[in-house]
């Protein structure tokens, strides 16, 4: 496994819509493993392939209950709403208040192409929705109101980290 570079805002690759994976290849499995390792090193709870500059529908998550790899993930059911502050490894140094569905049912494939289906709430629910946003080119700054967004963008561009 190897550590990958996490690309940062305003890299345009973060805004691309990622493509569905029809056939899981060895390189996709390796990418998911590398993403997990990269996530742990950066103390994140989730990462999406576009954050590595790769426009494929692959996400990895670990909210403390062990690693989850999801290929072609989707939310199939939503209930309630929950608002909370979220950070992102591609947007270092900022937190954004985001309103999301409270409980979700999600679906996807594991690294072997087996269908995974589950229910999530709390941090896991938030993380899955956050990472799926990345696959659609959406970032947490998009949830801020226009004035806050301007402030956050300025702050991000000043961060020496990107
Ligand atoms: Zn993120």
């Amino acid at each position: 496994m190897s550590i990958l570079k996490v690309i940062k805002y305003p890299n345009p690759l973060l805004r691309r819509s990622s493509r569905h994976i029809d056939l899981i290849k060895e390189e996709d499995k390796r990418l998911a493993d590398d993403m997990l390792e990269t996530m742990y090193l950066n103390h994140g709870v989730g990462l999406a392939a576009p954050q590595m500059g790769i426009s494929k529908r692959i996400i990895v998550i670990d909210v403390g209950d062990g690693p989850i790899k999801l290929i072609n993930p989707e939310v199939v059911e939503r209930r309630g709403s929950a608002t909370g502050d979220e950070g992102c490894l591609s947007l270092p140094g900022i937190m954004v208040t985001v309103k999301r569905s409270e409980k979700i049912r999600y679906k996807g494939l594991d690294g072997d192409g087996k269908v995974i289906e589950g229910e999530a709430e709390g941090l896991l629910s938030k993380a899955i929705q956050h990472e799926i946003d990345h696959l659609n080119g959406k970032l947490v700054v998009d949830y801020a109101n226009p004035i806050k967004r301007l402030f956050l963008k300025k702050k991000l561009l000043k961060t020496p980290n990107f």
Side-chain angles (χ1 to χ4, degrees), residues 46-48 51 86-91 130-131 134 138-140:
L47 263 184
Q51 293 179 279
E86 295 181 21
C88 179
L89 293 177
S90 294
L91 293 87
H130 177 118
E131 301 311 332
H134 275 298
K138 190 165 184 179
L139 301 171
V140 285

Side-chain angles (χ1 to χ4, degrees), residues 25-42:
K25 297 190 182 129
E26 277 310 311
E27 61 181 57
D28 299 320
K29 293 186 195 181
R30 205 168 335 129
L31 173 61
D33 287 337
D34 290 345
M35 282 165 60
L36 270 175
E37 204 180 349
T38 305
M39 180 189 82
Y40 290 129
L41 182 87
N42 288 285

Side-chain angles (χ1 to χ4, degrees), residues 148-161:
K148 179 93 194 273
R149 202 179 309 150
L150 208 64
F151 166 78
L152 290 171
K153 281 181 179 172
K154 272 191 195 154
K155 194 172 171 194
L156 277 168
L157 296 176
K158 266 190 228 151
T159 309
N161 200 358

Side-chain angles (χ1 to χ4, degrees), residues 78-128:
R78 302 173 177 273
R79 254 177 300 151
S81 67
T83 306
D85 287 344
E86 295 181 21
C88 179
L89 293 177
S90 294
L91 293 87
I94 67 157
M95 293 292 273
V96 184
T97 308
V98 182
K99 186 179 174 189
R100 299 195 184 277
S101 303
E102 185 187 11
K103 293 181 180 177
I104 58 166
R105 264 196 88 72
Y106 65 94
K107 223 170 112 174
L109 302 175
D110 69 5
D112 299 313
K114 205 177 88 203
V115 176
I116 303 177
E117 223 182 317
E119 284 192 17
E121 57 183 304
L123 187 55
L124 180 61
S125 170
K126 242 199 251 187
I128 292 171

Side-chain angles (χ1 to χ4, degrees), residues 36 39-40 61-62 65-69:
L36 270 175
M39 180 189 82
Y40 290 129
I61 288 169
D62 190 343
D65 302 324
I68 299 174
K69 299 177 215 173

